[in-house]
Amino acid sequence: MQIPQSDILSTSTMNRVFDNTVATYKFYWLLSLLDIYVKEQRSEMLALDVASRMVSYAWYPIEYFRLSFGKGDSMSQIIPEIALLTGITVDDKLDDKVETIMTAVHEHCKVKSKVKKLLANVPFWFLSPWIDVRDKRDLLYQSQNYPNGCLYALSGWGETLTVTINPKWSQYLKTNYQILRDFTLWNLTTFLQQKNPNVPNISGKLLRPEERESLTPQKKFWNKVIELGGHLNCIYTGNPLEKNGFDLDHFMPWSFVSHNQNWNLIPADGSFNSSKNNRIPDIGYYLPLMAAVQHRALKLYLPISSPRDSIVNEYFALGVSPQDLVSMTGEAFLNVYHKTFSPLSQMAQNMGFRLLIHE
């Protein structure tokens, strides 16, 4: 992916800002610069404010989805430490995180020291495609004349380090804000996929969604199953579940798979589902129970479904057609589920998701 080209700006150089990237800092630096300049309309900004927004952006993929940023990236260490100092959680919206962190940076010396770590290199080396200088102070001084049409100038030092956007880039940044943002996220996705080669849907794990997708179609599926075959028993508590009297549980947590496909959903006791949180069920105990409920549900539902039923067609993700799944023995069906869920479970545990053990 490339950004729109310009005859008067160094856009070809801008296309190279993520070349030879070894950490996530440059991606989050550009995302934050764009937000502050375009959304807050500040052409001059403290680098500390940019770094505060960087931390807010990286919070969700690290704390909620547990993505690895790589061994040399300090974000994974900084964010849990700031969480303890500020009380911010993954559920807080991006703008709320930004406000809390920026306030804490200016009022709490420990938070400031954590955020300042991000300013050791990225404000300087981001400009290296325009300014080929390895001494940071020399680069700072040269940037003030916007050599080679660079994106911004630097001034001050340490806590007073300040970024000033090159006025020649003003209209371009405003006009192409969304494209530049997508360009950055696309490159970040590519980078993180290399660090997390077995993790599904990296692009869906970079930003906190404002709202989760509705489970209404899946709820209708399971209500119809209960209507056709009678109550189900919760695989976690054993309690009977009647029509409209259940929650839908993501067997492998949404924070790992980041989808709502029905083959990974199971009706569950509402009180237990809220306490399960994002733990990984012990597949040695729970997967046979899950597979038995799923197999029975498909047998009941498939005969009354249409060929274009989107919920039924989601089961193709298991590598077998819904029709073939229904015709299988219970043992064969469980084997399909084992082949799908065993590697997912191991990956999630390797990433730090806790295990739900049957007691």
Side-chain angles (χ1 to χ4, degrees):
M1 180 179 181
Q2 291 195 334
I3 62 174
Q5 296 302 290
S6 167
D7 294 332
I8 61 173
L9 296 172
S10 53
T11 47
S12 60
T13 305
M14 183 74 155
N15 267 320
R16 303 199 309 270
V17 293
F18 300 128
D19 290 355
N20 305 315
T21 301
V22 296
T24 62
Y25 309 131
K26 286 183 180 180
F27 306 110
Y28 288 115
W29 176 257
L30 182 55
L31 285 173
S32 302
L33 281 178
L34 289 170
D35 277 1
I36 293 174
Y37 182 66
V38 176
K39 295 172 68 175
E40 299 181 18
Q41 299 182 17
R42 292 162 53 193
S43 60
E44 186 175 290
M45 59 200 81
L46 279 176
L48 268 174
D49 289 347
V50 184
S52 297
R53 187 170 282 271
M54 289 171 65
V55 172
S56 303
Y57 260 119
W59 202 288
Y60 199 64
I62 286 176
E63 287 288 279
Y64 189 73
F65 287 116
R66 302 176 187 273
L67 295 183
S68 170
F69 277 27
K71 185 177 180 181
D73 196 309
S74 63
M75 283 283 201
S76 299
Q77 177 185 354
I78 290 171
I79 287 174
E81 292 172 342
I82 293 179
L84 292 174
L85 293 169
T86 62
I88 296 175
T89 71
V90 292
D91 294 323
D92 295 316
K93 293 184 178 180
L94 176 67
D95 289 343
D96 295 333
K97 287 188 179 76
V98 172
E99 183 177 352
T100 299
I101 294 172
M102 287 180 65
T103 299
V105 162
H106 295 289
E107 296 180 355
H108 198 305
C109 61
K110 287 187 178 180
V111 175
K112 181 186 293 184
S113 68
K114 304 298 180 188
V115 174
K116 276 179 62 179
K117 292 180 181 179
L118 300 176
L119 302 180
N121 293 308
V122 68
F124 306 94
W125 303 149
F126 187 89
L127 292 176
S128 59
W130 289 278
I131 310 172
D132 187 16
V133 174
R134 304 318 298 168
D135 181 84
K136 286 186 281 190
R137 286 191 180 271
D138 191 12
L139 186 148
L140 181 147
Y141 294 136
Q142 289 196 36
S143 74
Q144 292 166 16
N145 295 316
Y146 302 118
N148 301 313
C150 63
L151 182 63
Y152 58 81
L154 294 170
S155 59
W157 196 260
E159 294 177 16
T160 66
L161 184 66
T162 300
V163 179
T164 303
I165 299 294
N166 184 342
K168 292 183 179 180
W169 282 85
S170 177
Q171 191 57 50
Y172 180 90
L173 296 180
K174 293 173 182 177
T175 301
N176 297 294
Y177 166 75
Q178 191 60 51
I179 296 174
L180 290 167
R181 195 167 181 270
D182 291 344
F183 166 74
T184 306
L185 292 171
W186 182 82
N187 279 280
L188 177 57
T189 298
T190 302
F191 177 83
L192 288 178
Q193 191 66 72
Q194 296 173 349
K195 301 295 182 183
N196 303 267
N198 297 315
V199 177
N201 192 21
I202 292 290
S203 62
K205 296 178 177 179
L206 300 184
L207 302 173
R208 179 187 183 276
E210 293 302 314
E211 292 184 7
R212 288 268 291 273
E213 181 184 350
S214 170
L215 291 174
T216 299
Q218 293 86 348
K219 195 95 172 181
K220 287 181 179 178
F221 171 96
W222 289 103
N223 272 328
K224 177 57 72 172
V225 167
I226 292 173
E227 185 181 307
L228 294 169
H231 75 265
L232 301 172
N233 290 324
C234 174
I235 67 170
Y236 302 113
T237 66
N239 294 335
L241 305 172
E242 303 292 347
K243 187 176 179 180
N244 293 316
F246 57 87
D247 284 354
L248 278 181
D249 170 64
H250 290 76
F251 188 78
M252 292 297 297
W254 189 90
S255 54
F256 178 71
V257 296
S258 65
H259 67 67
N260 294 325
Q261 293 198 5
N262 201 59
W263 53 267
N264 183 53
L265 295 175
I266 193 75
D269 190 310
S271 60
F272 182 85
N273 189 40
S274 59
S275 65
K276 175 179 177 268
N277 202 354
N278 64 350
R279 286 181 290 172
I280 306 297
D282 177 3
I283 61 173
Y285 180 82
Y286 289 109
L287 191 62
L289 302 176
M290 157 77 159
V293 173
Q294 282 280 356
H295 197 196
R296 178 170 178 263
L298 270 178
K299 286 182 175 181
L300 289 167
Y301 187 87
L302 189 64
I304 57 96
S305 67
S306 70
R308 296 183 178 181
D309 191 307
S310 61
I311 297 297
V312 170
N313 288 335
E314 289 174 356
Y315 286 84
F316 278 104
L318 298 173
V320 185
S321 73
Q323 293 75 18
D324 286 343
L325 287 170
V326 165
S327 66
M328 286 179 176
T329 64
E331 183 179 356
F333 188 93
L334 176 58
N335 188 47
V336 171
Y337 262 60
H338 262 299
K339 287 180 179 178
T340 301
F341 283 89
S342 293
L344 291 176
S345 176
Q346 190 58 59
M347 285 179 228
Q349 290 178 65
N350 291 345
M351 292 171 66
F353 285 87
R354 291 182 299 133
L355 196 63
L356 174 67
I357 303 293
H358 174 66
E359 297 178 356

